[in-house]
């Protein structure tokens, strides 16, 4: 494991984290009063799934590679359904009522843990295929590479949530609406890229 190994892992992390960054931004837009503990939780969930998915992909290559190739074709469809569902729910929940806690005309309802897990799966499911690109690694090397990917994802998502919080305050009542639209667009982008 040398310099090139770590650079490759960092670049994989950046590439894989872009969808998670956008969803993190949407989560920040949805809750401009989010506490730091929650920002860390959201970033951790995305990082966890970006760690697990390539590792699962690596394990699949070394165990059930033929079955995984069949599943790989379903990835864009699964990501589309999950992100459109969550984004659509955010749009439906978008109310212009005044929040009793902060007085803003935004939907201050935080995204639940189940929705965060679904977001984590939806934005990282395409990372399963990274298992193919690192299939020549030993288990130890694959583990370290996935750890680097997770760390990069955490930092990128943490930044995304903070940016979303900052812009969420200035966007007021449009924050939840914009967050939902972003999620739907990401789902469509993953679908179009994966299928075409």
């Amino acid at each position: 494991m040398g310099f090139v190994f770590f650079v490759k892992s960092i670049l994989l992390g950046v590439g894989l984290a872009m969808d998670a960054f956008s969803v993190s931004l949407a989560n920040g837009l949805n809750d401009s009063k989010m506490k730091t503990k929650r920002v860390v939780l959201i970033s951790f969930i995305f990082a966890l799934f970006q760690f697990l998915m390539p590792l699962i992909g690596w394990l699949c290559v070394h165990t059930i590679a033929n079955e995984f190739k069949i599943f790989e074709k379903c990835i864009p469809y699964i990501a589309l359904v999950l992100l459109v569902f969550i984004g659509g729910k955010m749009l439906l929940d978008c109310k212009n009522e005044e929040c009793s806690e902060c007085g803003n005309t935004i939907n201050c309802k935080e995204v639940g843990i189940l929705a965060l897990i679904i977001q984590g799966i939806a934005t990282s499911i395409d990372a399963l295929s990274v298992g193919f690109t690192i299939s020549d690694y030993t288990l130890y090397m694959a583990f370290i590479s996935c750890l680097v990917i997770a760390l990069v994802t955490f930092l990128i998502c943490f930044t995304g949530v903070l940016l979303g919080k900052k812009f969420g305050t200035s966007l007021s009542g449009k924050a939840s609406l914009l967050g939902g639209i972003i999620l739907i667009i990401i789902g469509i982008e993953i679908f179009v890229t994966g299928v075409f």
Side-chain angles (χ1 to χ4, degrees), residues 15-188:
L16 291 172
M18 288 302 103
D19 292 335
F21 169 79
S22 300
V23 176
S24 297
L25 188 68
N27 286 329
L29 285 168
N30 194 45
D31 185 2
S32 63
K33 302 292 183 185
M34 190 184 301
K35 296 194 183 331
T36 305
K37 184 178 172 183
R38 180 116 182 125
V39 176
V40 170
L41 174 68
I42 290 170
S43 304
F44 174 77
I45 287 173
F46 285 116
L48 176 65
F49 282 103
Q50 292 289 9
F51 168 78
L52 289 175
M53 292 299 185
L55 197 57
I56 291 169
W58 183 90
L59 290 169
C60 287
V61 168
H62 291 273
T63 54
I64 52 168
N66 290 333
E67 287 81 0
F68 180 68
K69 284 180 184 173
I70 294 166
F71 174 72
E72 189 178 20
K73 294 175 183 171
C74 300
I75 289 173
Y77 297 94
I78 294 168
L80 175 69
V81 169
L82 292 175
L83 288 174
V84 167
F85 173 76
I86 295 166
K89 187 175 183 315
M90 283 176 72
L91 293 177
L92 290 173
D93 289 345
C94 186
K95 297 180 185 124
N96 250 354
E97 297 173 1
E98 197 169 283
C99 176
S100 58
E101 291 179 29
C102 65
N104 288 341
T105 56
I106 62 171
N107 179 9
C108 293
K109 192 171 82 175
E110 66 182 29
V111 178
I113 191 74
L114 181 60
L116 286 174
I117 290 170
I118 292 170
Q119 288 177 356
I121 292 168
T123 58
S124 66
I125 199 161
D126 58 336
L128 277 169
S129 59
V130 171
F132 287 117
T133 66
I134 62 171
S135 63
D136 57 331
Y137 289 1
T138 64
L139 178 58
Y140 177 72
M141 288 173 68
F143 182 85
I144 297 298
S145 180
C146 293
L147 210 54
V148 172
I149 290 168
L151 180 61
V152 169
T153 300
F154 181 88
L155 295 172
I156 287 173
C157 291
F158 192 87
T159 304
V161 177
L162 293 180
L163 286 172
K165 279 178 56 178
K166 180 177 168 112
F167 291 115
T169 304
S170 63
L171 289 170
S172 188
K174 307 286 185 233
S176 293
L177 180 68
L178 184 59
I181 290 169
I182 287 172
L183 292 181
I184 291 169
I185 289 170
I186 293 166
I188 293 168

